[in-house]
Amino acid sequence: MSNIVIVGTQWGDEGKGKIVDLLAEFADIVVRFQGGNNAGHTMVVDGEQFISHLVPSGILQGKMCLLGNGMVVDPEVLLKELDNLNNRGIDVGPDRLKISEKAHIIMPYHKHIDMARENMKGDQKIGTTGRGIGPCYEDKATRRGVRFVDLLDPKEFDEKIKTILEEKNFYLEHYFSAEKLDPAGIIDQYKGYADRLSPHIINISIVMNKAIKENKQILFEGAQGTHLDIDHGTYPFVTSSNTVSGNACCGAGIGPKEITGVVGIVKAYTTRVGSGPFPTELFDEIGDKIQKKGAEFGATTGRKRRCGWLDTVLLRNAARLNGLTGLVITKLDVLDGLEDLKICTGYEYNGKIIRDFPASLKILGSCKPIYEVLPGWPEDISKIRNMEDLPENARHYLNRIEELTETPIDIISVGPGREETILINNPFNLK
Ligand code: IMP
């Protein structure tokens, strides 16, 4: 029996969706444990593209999918996704898709506040996705949040919304000079959501516990990436949840001894959307080439992603913080045809060499990457399905990643399709 956590090792957008979709075949249940519709997973099946923001990618494999208590969920977006999947003939009924009763609900004021705050920040913008994620987690921490369990009790829900709105409306009106929100309208709107979502709301910890006792396998699907983690990322240019593997336990409701493996997804180069330091960022034509070839646009906001060389200071940090047992290298094919490849092995700061990721953004912002230059490969590798068939220089690049991160590579992705994959070791075989 294996229960595997999948996390991003960089700043998100590592291509987790495809890998979750691939590994979901070996799982009985797929669970998301943090974040909300700030994430966007692109999956390609039989040439057809699916983008999901909330529903775990395992839904396409017909697996049971759970939205964990660590998530913040916008019911409007969830229902749109469910309708869309349903229209494509995918079963998203209550036996297939379950929502933790303890997950927090994104309310209209969260979205208003997220956007209004960001607009006030000028050049200090975080670059949030504007989906209300931060304000919703903020209300969770200050104990003013609305949870899915509240939808099941209409009377209490009404009272709660009226009380909360007194404060939110004061803030919206007097701080942002924005329009007040009407409690009756919101109550009405969310009653409609409650009617449709109630059959899906359940204690998912019990569901998972039962599954584990029956020797079923669970895949925990992380969103965003390690360096967007609220504690361990490039704070304040981070998201508002813990994205590291440890949060799979907290955000889903299981104990750490149930986790048997942690897979870190590594894009073969580095990208970042939104603001914040990025030591290996490229500002030249190679960066443009990678951005275009890798179609590096955010799946959620459509923003152009910033691109740069692979940074193993970042990856070593991720390996330690997540306890990675294996790596998945994605988008290796995007590097086809580049003459030389650079791997960052450390940073130079004030004449000193730094090998560990600094917490201070001031220091990180002044760090100069130290590069090792490796020869590229001219071949198109997208049709290759075995490690041995890869060009020697590609294998050398991969070996250096393993050496520098002290973590073995389990899977290599050479294209967006399910079949465009080189499988070295199936993480579900781990004990
Ligand atoms: P928020 O999570 O919308 O508040 O955004 C905070 C920061 O995290 C911004 O820089 C976003 O661009 C970034 N971010 C949030 N979700 C993702 C994601 O799924 N992939 C990459 N970046 C993300």
Side-chain angles (χ1 to χ4, degrees):
M1 189 273 295
S2 317
N3 297 312
I4 305 292
V5 185
I6 290 188
V7 289
T9 56
Q10 294 151 317
W11 279 290
D13 309 315
E14 294 91 353
K16 293 178 291 296
K18 165 179 162 171
I19 306 304
V20 172
D21 179 47
L22 204 74
L23 292 180
E25 189 186 333
F26 306 96
D28 300 286
I29 298 180
V30 184
V31 193
R32 261 195 71 184
F33 54 90
Q34 45 77 223
N37 61 314
N38 46 350
H41 288 176
T42 309
M43 299 157 278
V44 179
V45 183
D46 297 331
E48 206 184 341
Q49 200 180 70
F50 291 83
I51 296 182
S52 86
H53 298 285
L54 287 167
V55 177
S57 330
I59 204 80
L60 300 182
Q61 300 267 7
K63 305 295 171 164
M64 184 193 282
C65 289
L66 309 178
L67 305 188
N69 55 278
M71 289 186 74
V72 289
V73 179
D74 186 333
E76 185 182 354
V77 176
L78 177 61
L79 283 167
K80 267 196 201 132
E81 267 180 34
L82 295 184
D83 288 343
N84 183 21
L85 289 163
N86 200 29
N87 290 341
R88 292 174 189 232
I90 295 157
D91 179 6
V92 288
D95 288 338
R96 189 55 57 75
L97 189 280
K98 298 180 193 294
I99 309 163
S100 166
E101 54 197 358
K102 292 180 264 184
H104 279 249
I105 302 179
I106 295 186
M107 303 297 296
Y109 44 84
H110 292 136
K111 293 185 257 188
H112 282 271
I113 292 171
D114 209 9
M115 291 309 286
R117 254 192 211 147
E118 190 76 347
N119 289 337
M120 277 178 104
K121 277 195 181 127
D123 60 1
Q124 292 302 305
K125 278 187 177 46
I126 304 287
T128 81
T129 55
R131 306 294 195 258
I133 309 295
C136 188
Y137 276 118
E138 189 177 314
D139 276 355
K140 174 179 177 174
T142 52
R143 290 150 293 183
R144 282 175 301 195
V146 182
R147 301 186 299 166
F148 275 86
V149 68
D150 298 324
L151 287 183
L152 303 178
D153 187 338
K155 199 162 161 271
E156 201 153 309
F157 183 80
D158 289 11
E159 277 163 26
K160 202 164 189 173
I161 297 303
K162 281 178 194 148
T163 313
I164 294 172
L165 268 186
E166 275 175 35
E167 185 187 330
K168 298 293 176 196
N169 273 338
F170 182 85
Y171 187 46
L172 281 170
E173 194 180 15
H174 297 287
Y175 190 68
F176 295 118
S177 308
E179 269 183 42
K180 288 205 284 191
L181 297 169
D182 165 34
I186 294 179
I187 289 167
D188 221 44
Q189 185 187 3
Y190 278 69
K191 268 203 179 116
Y193 300 150
D195 288 344
R196 290 195 56 196
L197 292 174
S198 291
H200 299 264
I201 303 170
I202 194 167
N203 183 333
I204 67 150
S205 172
I206 294 174
V207 174
M208 280 183 295
N209 193 52
K210 183 168 171 283
I212 289 170
K213 282 194 174 143
E214 291 166 358
N215 279 329
K216 293 200 168 138
Q217 314 212 92
I218 305 180
L219 182 60
F220 295 88
E221 173 181 346
Q224 290 88 42
T226 300
H227 295 87
L228 288 172
D229 183 282
I230 181 99
D231 283 286
H232 302 290
T234 44
Y235 191 90
F237 299 99
V238 291
T239 191
S240 304
S241 62
N242 285 111
T243 59
V244 293
S245 62
N247 194 28
C249 294
C250 250
I254 56 140
K257 72 176 173 31
E258 311 298 354
I259 307 283
T260 55
V262 183
V263 178
I265 313 295
V266 177
K267 200 182 285 191
Y269 44 95
T270 313
T271 61
R272 174 162 205 173
V273 272
S275 324
F278 178 177
T280 62
E281 184 167 9
L282 284 163
F283 299 97
D284 57 8
E285 69 279 9
I286 297 180
D288 287 346
K289 219 169 162 174
I290 292 175
Q291 195 274 327
K292 283 199 186 81
K293 180 138 191 241
E296 294 295 351
F297 292 96
T300 300
T301 57
R303 287 179 289 183
K304 236 184 195 185
R305 294 177 186 146
R306 300 153 67 192
C307 297
W309 294 117
L310 190 74
D311 183 344
T312 59
V313 180
L314 216 66
L315 298 186
R316 280 196 300 274
N317 200 37
R320 177 172 30 75
L321 289 167
N322 294 292
L324 297 182
T325 53
L327 303 179
V328 175
I329 309 297
T330 61
K331 297 188 125 174
L332 189 63
D333 56 300
V334 173
L335 301 181
D336 291 355
L338 292 179
E339 205 166 312
D340 289 319
L341 302 173
K342 289 185 182 172
I343 295 184
C344 170
T345 57
Y347 301 144
E348 194 203 308
Y349 174 71
N350 264 354
K352 288 202 187 87
I353 293 176
I354 299 184
R355 299 235 173 251
D356 296 313
F357 201 72
S360 155
L361 287 204
K362 210 163 145 200
I363 295 180
L364 186 62
S366 312
C367 280
K368 300 231 160 21
I370 301 168
Y371 286 120
E372 202 173 286
V373 183
L374 278 74
W377 54 91
E379 296 92 335
D380 168 3
I381 62 166
S382 63
K383 307 269 178 317
I384 294 177
R385 301 290 174 261
N386 292 301
M387 182 73 171
E388 306 76 63
D389 298 336
L390 281 174
E392 195 185 337
N393 289 347
R395 275 185 282 135
H396 184 44
Y397 186 70
L398 296 169
N399 289 341
R400 268 316 269 153
I401 299 174
E402 286 188 319
E403 281 167 7
L404 289 163
T405 59
E406 298 177 15
T407 315
I409 295 173
D410 288 336
I411 299 173
I412 300 154
S413 171
V414 291
R418 255 186 208 164
E419 67 295 347
E420 290 169 311
T421 305
I422 300 172
L423 181 68
I424 300 162
N425 171 56
N426 183 341
F428 271 106
N429 291 333
L430 272 177
K431 188 70 199 145

